[in-house]
């Protein structure tokens, strides 16, 4: 323990939920205040900006459906990342797993002749498997060769981006695309149903909510979930108990990558209906979901709250762009500020300052020449 000006820096054995929630809310509040400063720099009153965002997203069905629509990929990916982070596997590659899932599903929808009733289910299955396979690569590299998964998952994002760019500008480029980089549209049976007048593909939303609930039950109430928690809290204890850490880590990464792949299929079949430029297919959902998972503090059910919050931020980006004539990238500024604040408050969650005990003065007795 380190001592500063009469206080000791002491590690918390178990950070309280109330304290963690308070720090998270403070981080969000400070991020919103700093975003208000950005609004001021654009010459827009922060109060007017927040009023416009509120009325454009939460008081209007069209705006609220956009919030839910943005929530879907964040929820699917966020829950998968919570599982990965709980086992100390830092999956930064969800963006690539999303793109690969969408690409594999697009390949099935465009080039594989299937009966109409089977087209969409098989595309969902293939998208899940493709995302899982993309996540399997860094998991295997870490477990067999001890290669850092942060680097491999991040690099695979760029491989996936270039793969999609190559396909939509090359062999898969649509006959009616002319100078644009996208494929031909998918047939109608490959379209995810949406609520009338919106792009809210409710089928994927139901899958995402069920996935969050089931993951919460697995982590909290099953033997496999117990193994995941032990592996995340102390890998050495997991090995001492004879647990198969290889199997557990691979299972978690397959589920995490598969969930990101499903998110890609939802964006493909529910909104765009064709494979197109990666920056249009995903607005950086794979990266934002890292903050979503972090803010949920390892609780899959917590993602049911944090994902809609960031869905609101993304929908607010559309409102700011259309109504306030501000760039959509303001969303990235807010996400970056919030991530910085969450990292900055992390030591306050793990440590606390306690008053150092007073030292008892040591009394010495001076001996007299006669020994008294």
């Amino acid at each position: 323990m380190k001592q500063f000006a009469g206080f000791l820096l002491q590690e918390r054995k178990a950070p309280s939920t109330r304290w963690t929630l308070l720090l998270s809310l403070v981080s969000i509040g400070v991020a919103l205040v700093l975003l208000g400063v950005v609004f001021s720099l654009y010459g827009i009153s922060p109060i007017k900006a927040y009023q416009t965002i509120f009325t454009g997203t939460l008081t209007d069905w069209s705006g609220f459906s956009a919030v839910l629509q943005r929530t879907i990929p964040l929820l699917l990916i966020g829950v998968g990342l919570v599982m990965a982070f709980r086992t100390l596997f830092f999956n930064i590659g969800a963006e690539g797993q999303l793109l690969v899932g969408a690409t594999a599903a697009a390949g099935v929808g465009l080039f594989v002749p299937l009966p109409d009733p089977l087209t969409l289910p098989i595309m969902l299955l293939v998208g899940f498997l493709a995302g899982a396979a993309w996540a399997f690569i860094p998991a295997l590299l870490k477990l067999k060769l001890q290669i850092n998964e942060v680097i491999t998952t991040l690099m695979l994002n760029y491989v996936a981006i270039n793969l999609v760019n190559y396909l939509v500008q090359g062999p898969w480029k649509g006959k009616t695309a002319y100078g644009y980089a996208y494929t031909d549209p998918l047939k109608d049976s490959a379209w995810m149903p949406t609520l009338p007048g919106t792009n809210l593909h409710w089928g994927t939303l139901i899958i995402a909510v069920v996935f969050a609930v089931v993951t919460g039950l697995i982590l909290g109430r099953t033997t496999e979930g117990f193994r995941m928690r032990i592996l995340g809290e102390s890998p050495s204890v997991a090995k001492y108990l004879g647990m198969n850490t290889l199997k557990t880590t691979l299972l978690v990464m397959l589920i995490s990558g598969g969930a990101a792949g499903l998110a890609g299929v939802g964006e493909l079949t529910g909104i765009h209906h064709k494979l197109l430029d990666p920056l249009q297919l995903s607005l950086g959902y794979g990266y934002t979901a890292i903050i979503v998972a972090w803010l949920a503090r390892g609780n899959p059910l917590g993602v049911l709250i944090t994902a809609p919050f960031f869905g609101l931020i993304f929908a607010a980006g559309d409102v700011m762009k259309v109504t306030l004539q501000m760039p959509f990238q303001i969303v990235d500024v807010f996400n970056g500020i919030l991530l910085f604040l969450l990292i900055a408050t992390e030591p306050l969650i793990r440590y606390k300052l306690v008053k150092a005990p007073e030292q008892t003065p040591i009394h010495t007795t001076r001996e007299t020449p006669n020994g008294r």
Side-chain angles (χ1 to χ4, degrees):
M1 289 185 292
K2 296 181 179 179
Q3 185 169 341
F4 304 96
F7 289 90
L8 289 175
L9 186 62
Q10 192 176 71
E11 188 173 3
R12 298 176 190 271
K13 292 182 179 177
S16 72
T17 304
R18 186 178 300 178
W19 177 243
T20 304
L21 179 62
L22 176 64
L23 286 178
S24 299
L25 291 176
V26 169
S27 298
I28 292 172
V30 174
L32 290 173
V33 170
L34 293 176
L35 186 61
V37 175
V38 177
F39 287 142
S40 300
L41 293 175
Y42 268 88
I44 299 172
S45 164
I47 295 176
K48 179 188 174 185
Y50 284 125
Q51 282 178 340
T52 304
I53 291 170
F54 180 79
T55 55
T57 54
L58 297 179
T59 62
D60 171 70
W61 167 239
S62 175
F64 187 66
S65 67
V67 173
L68 294 178
Q69 174 198 322
R70 305 293 195 190
T71 297
I72 295 170
L74 296 172
L75 183 55
L76 277 167
I77 300 172
V79 173
L81 291 183
V82 162
M83 289 189 76
F85 295 164
R86 286 292 293 265
T87 56
L88 293 184
F89 193 99
F90 298 102
N91 178 16
I92 313 297
E95 186 75 7
Q97 292 147 22
L98 180 153
L99 294 174
V100 169
T103 303
V108 172
L110 289 169
F111 306 115
V112 180
L114 290 170
D116 286 349
L118 294 179
T119 301
L120 194 54
I122 291 180
M123 288 175 69
L124 286 167
L125 177 63
V126 169
F128 178 89
L129 294 176
W134 205 249
F136 179 79
I137 300 170
L140 198 62
L141 289 174
K142 178 181 181 179
L143 294 170
K144 292 296 185 184
L145 301 176
Q146 304 299 314
I147 298 177
N148 189 302
E149 76 274 19
V150 174
I151 296 172
T152 53
T153 52
L154 185 62
M155 291 178 69
L156 282 174
N157 286 343
Y158 296 101
V159 175
I161 290 170
N162 284 300
L163 173 65
V164 175
N165 274 327
Y166 165 71
L167 291 174
V168 298
Q169 295 178 20
W172 287 15
K173 185 173 182 178
K175 295 175 183 174
T176 58
Y178 303 107
Y180 297 97
Y182 51 70
T183 65
D184 285 326
L186 299 170
K187 57 183 181 180
D188 291 349
S189 60
W191 288 27
M192 187 73 75
T194 57
L195 293 181
T198 72
N199 282 328
L200 180 56
H201 39 111
W202 52 269
T204 322
L205 178 61
I206 293 174
I207 293 173
V209 173
V210 171
F211 178 55
V213 174
V214 170
T215 303
L217 292 174
I218 290 174
L219 274 176
R221 300 189 178 185
T222 66
T223 306
E224 198 59 46
F226 175 74
R227 292 195 182 101
M228 292 176 189
R229 298 202 311 271
I230 291 292
L231 178 60
E233 291 171 8
S234 177
S236 57
V237 171
K239 289 181 181 177
Y240 179 77
L241 294 175
M243 290 171 47
N244 189 340
T245 56
L246 174 68
K247 174 188 166 188
T248 303
T249 304
L250 283 178
L251 177 64
V252 167
M253 276 307 292
L254 290 177
I255 296 174
S256 179
L262 272 183
V265 181
E267 295 300 296
L268 173 79
T269 60
I271 300 174
H272 304 292
H273 307 133
K274 55 180 172 284
L275 190 67
L276 67 172
D277 185 281
L279 295 179
Q280 292 177 280
L281 187 63
S282 171
L283 300 177
Y285 294 127
Y287 299 113
T288 304
I290 296 172
I291 313 175
V292 170
W294 196 330
L295 206 55
R297 303 293 179 184
N299 185 347
L301 299 180
V303 182
L304 289 171
I305 299 173
T306 58
F309 172 72
F310 280 92
L312 172 64
I313 298 298
F314 271 106
D318 292 329
V319 173
M320 287 187 285
K321 183 177 178 180
V322 174
T323 308
L324 302 177
Q325 304 296 311
M326 294 182 71
F328 186 84
Q329 285 72 16
I330 292 292
V331 170
D332 297 330
V333 173
F334 176 81
N335 290 342
I337 292 173
L338 182 55
L339 180 60
F340 174 81
L341 291 170
L342 289 173
I343 293 172
T345 56
E346 194 67 19
L348 298 177
I349 296 175
R350 295 174 56 192
Y351 298 96
K352 61 181 178 181
L353 282 176
V354 296
K355 193 173 182 181
E358 295 183 1
Q359 293 183 351
T360 305
I362 301 174
H363 299 286
T364 57
T365 304
R366 181 179 295 176
E367 292 187 358
T368 58
N370 59 4
R372 295 180 180 178

